[in-house]
């Protein structure tokens, strides 16, 4: 857990803290100039809220205590009658409680937003990993399909075409033998040999 001093050490934190102190001083001055009849307590929430969100809740708590002191001091300096330590302490406690509730709500809201951002970031990373895994599986399927297609083409060319070529040669030899013997089945044998040549040609084309 970082303290508000650690937060101030980060780039930009010190500038924001200084701006909050300047804003508090301006609010206190305006509160003094307007008099104690007009309450500007709500304006002190501005530097407190900014310091809580951008610097940290501990620095915001410190700003809340300082704001109560400035608020009480500006009222007394502007002419507010002193009504006793009990009443002033009670009013300061009420104002401080209001500021602390504001600090708690702002800090809880910031933590919720940070948790939501972390969940979204984790979900996005998981989604990217899932997409990458899916793309990897798709590439593997495509590679496997390509290898199977090539294997099928090779087997079709090396095995089936060789068998058909052997049968075609045998049919041509049989046709010549039947033609030499003057058989009536010569024309039928020739047709079979032509069909085998066509089948062989188509098989090679597919392979």
């Amino acid at each position: 857990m970082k303290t508000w001093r650690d937060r101030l050490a980060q780039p930009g934190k010190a500038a924001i803290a200084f701006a909050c102190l300047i804003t508090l001083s301006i609010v206190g001055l305006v509160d003094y100039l307007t008099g104690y009849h007009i309450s500007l307590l709500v304006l002190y929430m501005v530097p407190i809220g900014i310091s809580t969100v951008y610097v940290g809740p501990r620095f915001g708590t410190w700003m809340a205590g300082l704001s109560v002191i400035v608020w009480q001091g500006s009222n007394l300096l502007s002419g507010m009658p002193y009504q006793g330590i009990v009443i002033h302490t009670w009013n300061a406690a009420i104002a401080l409680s209001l500021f602390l509730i504001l600090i708690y709500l702002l800090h809880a809201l910031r933590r919720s937003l940070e948790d939501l951002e972390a969940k979204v970031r984790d979900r996005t990373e998981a989604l990217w990993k899932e997409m990458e895994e899916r793309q990897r599986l798709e590439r593997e399927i495509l590679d496997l399909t390509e290898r199977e297609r090539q294997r099928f083409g090779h087997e079709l060319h090396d095995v089936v075409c060789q068998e058909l070529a052997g049968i075609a040669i045998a049919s041509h030899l049989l046709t010549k033998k039947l033609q030499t013997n003057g058989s009536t089945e010569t024309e039928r044998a020739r047709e079979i040999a032509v069909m085998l040549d066509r089948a062989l040609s188509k098989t090679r084309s597919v392979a």
Side-chain angles (χ1 to χ4, degrees):
M1 180 65 68
K2 293 182 179 180
T3 63
W4 64 270
R5 293 186 180 87
D6 296 331
R7 291 177 178 269
L8 288 178
Q10 299 178 3
K13 299 293 185 180
I16 296 175
F18 182 73
C20 290
L21 291 174
I22 296 298
T23 305
L24 176 60
S25 302
I26 295 174
V27 173
L29 179 61
V30 173
D31 196 8
Y32 166 73
L33 295 176
T34 55
Y36 67 91
H37 296 287
I38 300 176
S39 178
L40 300 181
L41 184 62
V42 68
L43 296 181
Y44 291 92
M45 295 182 179
V46 175
I48 295 173
I50 294 175
S51 61
T52 300
V53 173
Y54 294 101
V55 180
R58 293 189 179 184
F59 183 73
T61 304
W62 184 82
M63 284 289 295
L66 184 60
S67 297
V68 171
I69 295 174
V70 173
W71 172 64
Q72 289 277 40
S74 64
N75 287 336
L76 291 174
L77 291 175
S78 62
M80 184 181 70
Y82 182 74
Q83 299 175 349
I85 187 66
V86 176
I87 295 178
H88 287 284
T89 302
W90 174 258
N91 291 336
I94 293 297
L96 183 61
S97 300
L98 180 63
F99 293 155
L100 292 178
I101 292 174
L102 174 65
I103 291 171
Y104 172 79
L105 292 177
L106 289 176
H107 182 60
L109 178 61
R110 182 178 177 85
R111 290 291 299 272
S112 298
L113 291 176
E114 290 176 350
D115 293 341
L116 181 60
E117 290 177 357
K119 290 180 180 179
V120 171
R121 186 167 52 252
D122 294 340
R123 180 58 181 168
T124 302
E125 292 177 357
L127 184 60
W128 277 110
K129 291 181 179 178
E130 182 178 351
M131 292 176 62
E132 291 176 354
E133 180 66 17
R134 182 174 299 178
Q135 291 177 356
R136 186 186 65 82
L137 292 176
E138 289 178 354
R139 288 193 298 269
E140 289 184 356
I141 292 174
L142 290 175
D143 293 340
L144 180 61
T145 303
E146 179 65 19
R147 288 195 298 268
E148 287 298 317
R149 187 187 66 82
Q150 293 179 358
R151 184 183 63 82
F152 176 76
H154 290 159
E155 291 183 356
L156 190 63
H157 182 271
D158 297 339
V159 178
V160 179
C161 287
Q162 296 298 328
E163 292 289 336
L164 287 175
I167 297 173
I169 293 172
S171 65
H172 283 290
L173 293 176
L174 178 61
T175 300
K176 290 181 180 181
K177 185 175 181 180
L178 291 175
Q179 186 178 7
T180 302
N181 295 334
S183 175
T184 58
E185 297 295 332
T186 303
E187 189 62 29
R188 181 59 180 167
R190 183 179 294 107
E191 291 177 358
I192 294 174
V194 171
M195 287 189 293
L196 284 172
D197 290 337
R198 291 176 181 174
L200 178 61
S201 179
K202 290 181 180 180
T203 305
R204 285 176 176 173
S205 179
V206 171

